[in-house]
Structures are given as structure tokens and as C-alpha cells.
Amino acid sequence: METTDAPMVIEHQHKSLTFTPYETRWIPCSARFVCAGISPRAKGVLQIYELKGGQMSVTDERERPSGIKCGTFGASSFAQRAIATGDYSGGLSIWDLERLDEPIYSVAKAHKSIINGIDGIGGLGIGGGAPELVTGSRDGCVRVWDPRVPDAVVSLEPVEGQPTRDCWTVAFGNSTGDDRCVAAGYDNGDVKLFDLRTNAMRWETNAHNGVTCVEFDRPDIEMNKLVVTTLESKFRVFDLRTQHADEGFAHVAEKAHKSTVWLARHLPQNRDVWMTGGGNGGLNLYTYHYPKKRSATHKDNTPVGVAGEVELLNSRVISTQPIVSFDWSPDREGLAVLACLDQTLRVYICTKLDKYDEPNESGGMDCPESDTYHHLLRGRVVEKAWLSAASAVLPSRRWHS
């Protein structure tokens, strides 16, 4: 696109840390965020930051026995806003951010080894069904947890006698009605899609390199797109609307960063815009263009998907070390927090994102008027829980776009 029209990627805040960060997450309905990682003494660090007066400052900090690798607010309510974390010893915990001394839910040995990835669904008004967490570990297992009970409700384990592959990333999707799916990526390039309603494998493929991140463009709608990032500077975008018996899902592949693509994060306010973080310390901002027809007739007379195109909107190298965490603010479009392995924490602003509106049904997407999450993010619906929580954190100040 024209340089003058391209979104700008601007650094707002920059802070050096005394530990290695692995996760950053905005606290919903607030100007605060969580940063978690591991200290040089192999202890876990959990920090809460606040943006105030143009600066970010630590408001609370705790040290834990084991390093923290990942976290999510996806299974929390608006009122509680509790973060779930996975650690280096295989422990799963949920933390009340107002009382960090002890977790409100804990499974000391949720896995036999480090929990590499975690995701949540059913909280924050996102997705149908009960709040659940999913974790993926070096032990090769993918487990689904209901925070109301101490044991995993679903455990997807390696076949006995087969080599155990390290599960690097997990994500919820297709959470509509009684349906719910989990995508998982492994160190050997396997990508697997599990249907939790039927308790069966729905689809699997291999990306030829270790899978560092999988993310649905939106978890609370009928499966639409899945971004898969890998080692060796590549990512794929799968169109999940049409599955062929032999060809699977159509996809488009893209080279990026000239190094490992560590993550992909979709803009909450627009599912067709996402950011990738690279091993070269770079950020790439992309948008997706749908084809005129998202399905065609295969030679066997059955429907087959048609992939769209990916457009790079902007790119910027901000560090000499990999970007390992990135999170968009759900409340302020274009505001993001990220962490790099150079032990830095940064807040960035991406401008002009309002130029990229989500397509309507003519573009192949369904945007039902009853979709509370969609309208909530657009600012048309504000739940009472949001109002009370936001007023407690930001009593008399509005942010300016």
C-alpha cells in the first residue's frame, strides 16, 4: 500500500527488566497489564504494571518457586479478571490480581514438564459454554481444564509406543453453541485440530518446521481462519470454512522476518489484521484479503476451499533479540504491550488501523448483530461489569486515540 497511508508502529514506553519475560497480557477494562517470566535464579516473576501520566510503573510484584512461561485471561470473568499461568515445573495456577500471595486455583503437576502454551475461553463474554483452559506441554499432552474442578476434563496424550513430541502452542476456537475446538502445534511441525464436542481429531497436517504459535482469528465464531507460525521464517493462514476430504483446508504461505516467526496476534477489533513477532526482533503488521469465492468444486465434484491473499502493511525491527510475547489491548485499538529476550518490556501504538474494517457477508464473513463480543469491542455495548471494573481503575480519565 502507499507509504503515506500505511499504519505507523510507534514506541510509547520502554523499560529494562532484571528477568527474562515470556508473557505480557493486558488486564481487561484497565490501563494495566501483567508481565511474567523467569529470574536468573530460576524463580517465577509476576509483575503488574500501570500506564499513568504517560509512564508505566510497577504496582505489584511477586516471586514464585518456578518460572512462568505463559498466561491468559480467557477463562476469567470481567468482575474477577484473574490470570491463569503455566510454569516451568508443569504447574497450572489462577491468580487474583488483588491478592497475589496464593493462587485461587492450583494444580501442582498439571503436566510432567514445562507448560509451553495456555489459552482460555468462556470468560470475558467470549465464546459459548463454560469457562475452560487448555494447556500444552513438553510431555506431549494437551489438556483441557475446568477451573471448578481439580482434574483435567479432557487429556489428549501421545499414542503409547510412539515418540513424544513437544507441544509448543495451543488455542481455542469454534466456540459457538455446544461446539468448541482446540488447535495444537508441535516441535515436529504437526498441527492438530481436536473437536471437543465429539472428542475426536477433526484435522491434522504438517508445516515442515516446528510450530511456534497457532491462533484463530476469532475464537467465538464458526471457524474462519487459523494462523500458524513456524521456525525458518514462515507462517501460514488456513481458511477453515471449507474442508476437503483429501486436500484439507486451503492455505496461503508467507515468508517473514528472515528468522523464526515466534507469534501471531490478531487485532481484537478486526480479525483480518494481525501482528507477527520475529526472531530478528522485528514486528510485521498484516491484513488478509478474501477471494471473490471462498470455495470451488474439486475434480472429485466436492467443495474445496480457496485461500485469499496476505498484505504486509508495515514492518519494523525494534530489537536484536526475538519478540516472544505480544498482546493487543482489548479496549484501545492499536495499543499493544510486548516483551523481547533482551529483557525489555515495551508499549507500542499502531495508528490508522480503523482504515481496515471487517468485511461483511459479501466478503465471506458472518457478523451477526447478536454477537455481543463483536459489538462490545466496537464500543456499542458495554456490560455493567465493564463499567464497574473500568470506573475502579480509571475513575476520572479517558484515553485519547
Side-chain angles (χ1 to χ4, degrees), residues 202-233:
R202 180 164 179 173
W203 169 74
E204 61 180 322
T205 188
N206 189 278
H208 309 299
N209 285 293
V211 177
T212 55
C213 177
V214 294
E215 185 175 84
F216 293 89
D217 58 353
R218 283 254 310 268
D220 62 329
I221 61 171
E222 180 186 350
M223 289 192 306
N224 185 56
K225 298 194 305 297
L226 178 73
V227 174
V228 176
T229 67
T230 67
L231 307 177
E232 303 297 333
S233 66

Side-chain angles (χ1 to χ4, degrees), residues 339-354:
C340 308
L341 289 187
D342 60 1
Q343 295 190 343
T344 59
L345 177 66
R346 307 166 192 241
V347 175
Y348 267 75
I349 299 170
C350 296
T351 67
K352 302 181 182 179
L353 296 179
D354 56 335

